[in-house]
Amino acid sequence: MEILLNKLYEQNGLTKDEIVYFLQHLTPDLKKKMFHLAAVTRKKHYDESVYLRGLIEFSNFCKQDCMYCGLRRSNPDVDRYRLTEEEILECAAEGYTLGYRSFVLQSGEDFRYTEELMVSIVKNLKARFPDAAITLSMGERSEAFYRALYAAGTDRYLLRHETASRSLYESLHPGMSFDNRMNCLRILKEIGYQVGAGFMVGLPKQTHEHLAEDLLFLKEFHPAMIGIGPFIPHSATPLKEAAGGTIEDTLVMIAMARLFVPDALMPATTAMGTLDPTGREQALSAGANVVMPNLSPLKFREKYELYENKICTGDQASHCRNCIEMRIIASGYQIELSRGDNCNFISTPEKELLL
């Protein structure tokens, strides 16, 4: 086992069989050493910086019916909302005043936000906050949509692959195509976005083999960002009786992903903080280096319920910023409020011409 861990640290990779064996025989002492090596690896690329992104959850409408998600279209109890363009800009303005220079606009797959509307939103954000990075997370769209939004000034796109196993993916995403998901990721990267992928830990019927496939996919695809969080069951979904993921298992995957893709930006997710009050700090210790405080209007926070009992839904944006900053500093890290691009990102002249 020590040999496998050293190989992972030194070569940033293992075979599928080695990953499965490693997960099956992982001891507490070896976990502790792996978390340390993951932190060392992160430090090589990003020092002790933790990058803050201002999160704006602008719509909880979704056309999809994912088995695990509280926003699934079949849930009649969701109090749906949509932010107007001006409301989105107001959220960003508040965040900009608080020091954020990176904004993440996230929604369900809501096609009321057309290409024309999103281009207008992104252009206005860039006009008002030219030194800020804009990330979109809106699910699967057409190549034309992705290209138009990139040309408008969008810098990054988050689209978690959820699971690299075709059979597991299809069992969790009725009416959706595994091939289309992967094709969207490929297109986004080809266009020039800094792309984020990622998966959940603790899904029903998820095996060590599935997790190995996720890590190998991340190694091959090499995304700029990797989001990994625990599966948390929602009472209004078909998976309400499922056990859910654990902090410990998720930390293992965060650390292994850091070792497989050393230069990735990796969030310590709100879901980790929901399962454990120190969950985000533990994720940082295992190799994560991004935190996304919420800038959404307070009256809508609780309505964006991917899972239940989400933390920080009642905090003002300024309180959220101050709270997480104190916790990050107390954990021995440094707050970074810049754009926070991937360490290997180089802005291209072609993008500047598009803008």
Side-chain angles (χ1 to χ4, degrees):
M1 289 292 288
E2 289 275 358
I3 293 173
L4 288 178
L5 180 57
N6 289 334
K7 176 183 176 182
L8 177 56
Y9 174 62
E10 294 168 2
Q11 301 180 24
N12 304 122
L14 296 172
T15 67
K16 183 176 180 178
D17 287 343
E18 287 173 336
I19 297 169
V20 171
Y21 182 87
F22 186 79
L23 292 174
Q24 289 173 340
H25 297 86
L26 194 54
T27 64
D29 286 344
L30 205 60
K31 280 184 192 178
K32 185 176 180 181
K33 182 175 180 181
M34 180 171 68
F35 294 163
H36 170 71
L37 292 176
V40 168
T41 300
R42 180 205 58 231
K43 187 173 182 178
K44 288 178 182 177
H45 296 274
Y46 295 101
D47 200 18
E48 299 293 357
S49 296
V50 174
Y51 299 88
L52 266 58
R53 324 295 203 193
L55 176 64
I56 304 171
E57 296 164 334
F58 63 93
S59 170
N60 68 351
F61 282 81
C62 191
K63 67 187 285 287
Q64 304 295 359
D65 215 18
C66 303
M67 303 287 279
Y68 48 80
C69 182
L71 301 186
R72 66 196 311 261
R73 69 169 187 268
S74 293
N75 183 0
D77 297 325
V78 181
D79 187 3
R80 306 285 180 178
Y81 74 90
R82 291 184 174 103
L83 298 189
T84 65
E85 178 172 354
E86 191 54 41
E87 285 173 325
I88 293 171
L89 293 170
E90 288 172 1
C91 292
E94 181 180 13
Y96 195 86
T97 300
L98 290 169
Y100 297 111
R101 294 299 180 266
S102 180
F103 301 110
V104 179
L105 277 59
Q106 181 173 291
S107 72
E109 291 200 13
D110 184 358
F111 278 55
R112 284 283 291 275
Y113 289 87
T114 62
E115 178 183 311
E116 180 182 14
L117 176 56
M118 290 309 301
V119 164
S120 176
I121 290 170
V122 170
K123 284 187 173 180
N124 277 316
L125 284 170
K126 282 293 189 177
R128 295 193 192 187
F129 317 112
D131 56 336
I134 307 299
T135 301
L136 294 182
S137 180
M138 303 176 64
E140 298 176 9
R141 293 294 187 113
S142 68
E143 180 173 348
F145 178 93
Y146 291 148
R147 290 191 179 278
L149 269 294
Y150 184 76
T154 308
D155 301 279
R156 308 168 188 148
Y157 201 100
L158 306 179
L159 185 67
R160 297 209 304 188
H161 65 278
E162 306 299 2
T163 171
S165 162
R166 179 185 297 274
S167 59
L168 186 58
Y169 183 92
E170 291 175 350
S171 73
L172 295 168
H173 303 89
M176 296 178 70
S177 164
F178 176 79
D179 289 332
N180 189 60
R181 192 71 162 196
M182 292 301 185
N183 191 48
C184 284
L185 284 166
R186 179 187 59 77
I187 289 170
L188 286 163
K189 193 171 185 181
E190 286 179 355
I191 290 170
Y193 285 95
Q194 294 180 64
V195 181
F199 59 95
M200 282 183 288
V201 180
L203 287 164
K205 299 183 180 179
Q206 187 180 57
T207 65
H208 288 144
E209 286 77 10
H210 292 141
L211 293 171
E213 290 171 5
D214 283 316
L215 292 170
L216 291 171
F217 167 73
L218 292 174
K219 177 69 174 177
E220 178 187 6
F221 183 66
H222 203 119
M225 303 167 284
I226 298 173
I228 299 173
F231 160 61
I232 302 177
H234 191 292
S235 63
T237 70
L239 301 182
K240 61 185 177 182
E241 303 296 337
T246 68
I247 285 283
E248 197 66 23
D249 288 345
T250 307
L251 290 171
V252 168
M253 285 298 107
I254 290 172
M256 292 190 75
R258 169 60 67 196
L259 294 170
F260 267 86
V261 191
D263 58 352
L265 289 157
M266 298 180 60
T269 65
T270 303
M272 293 291 280
T274 298
L275 286 187
D276 186 299
T278 64
R280 286 178 293 184
E281 290 92 330
Q282 292 182 60
L284 294 176
S285 296
N289 64 338
V290 174
V291 174
M292 298 195 292
N294 205 322
L295 294 175
S296 306
L298 279 177
K299 63 182 179 180
F300 297 128
R301 296 260 188 97
E302 291 186 351
K303 299 177 181 180
Y304 199 87
E305 195 178 71
L306 305 176
Y307 51 87
E308 291 166 313
N309 304 312
K310 186 167 71 170
I311 59 171
C312 302
T313 58
D315 294 339
Q316 294 286 349
S318 56
H319 179 267
C320 198
R321 152 81 199 275
N322 292 334
C323 174
I324 195 63
E325 180 171 347
M326 288 188 294
R327 296 177 70 155
I328 290 171
I329 292 172
S331 298
Y333 303 100
Q334 301 169 355
I335 293 293
E336 179 58 65
L337 285 165
S338 67
R339 282 173 50 101
D341 291 301
N342 180 279
C343 61
N344 291 324
F345 171 73
I346 300 174
S347 183
T348 63
E350 291 81 2
K351 177 66 180 287
E352 299 302 322
L353 288 172
L354 284 172
L355 300 180

